[in-house]
Amino acid sequence: KTPSGWMELIGSNGLMTAVAAARKIKGEPTGPAMRDAIESLCGFEIYTRGRACFSKDNHDGFGESSLVITEIRDGAFRTRK
């Protein structure tokens, strides 16, 4: 499928966050367990520049280093330089 916009990139980052958190949970992946796991994630790979780092006080996870201008060219995401 040809990428159609920015939200696919954001959605992919969200999915990668959920998967990374689920891998950290020992036992049942309850809501509180997922929250605690996400709040402990830092430095895992995402599709934007930089690395995500979440905490109890930062639920965005993406810092200034993660922001880049991205465009869709020839059916693929490209980082503008």
Side-chain angles (χ1 to χ4, degrees), residues 38-39 41 53-63:
I38 290 171
E39 288 178 350
L41 290 176
C53 193
F54 294 88
S55 71
K56 183 178 179 181
D57 299 318
N58 178 2
H59 287 179
D60 289 332
F62 308 106

Side-chain angles (χ1 to χ4, degrees), residues 41-57:
L41 290 176
C42 191
F44 66 100
E45 187 175 355
I46 55 176
Y47 282 119
T48 54
R49 180 179 292 168
R51 301 261 183 207
C53 193
F54 294 88
S55 71
K56 183 178 179 181
D57 299 318

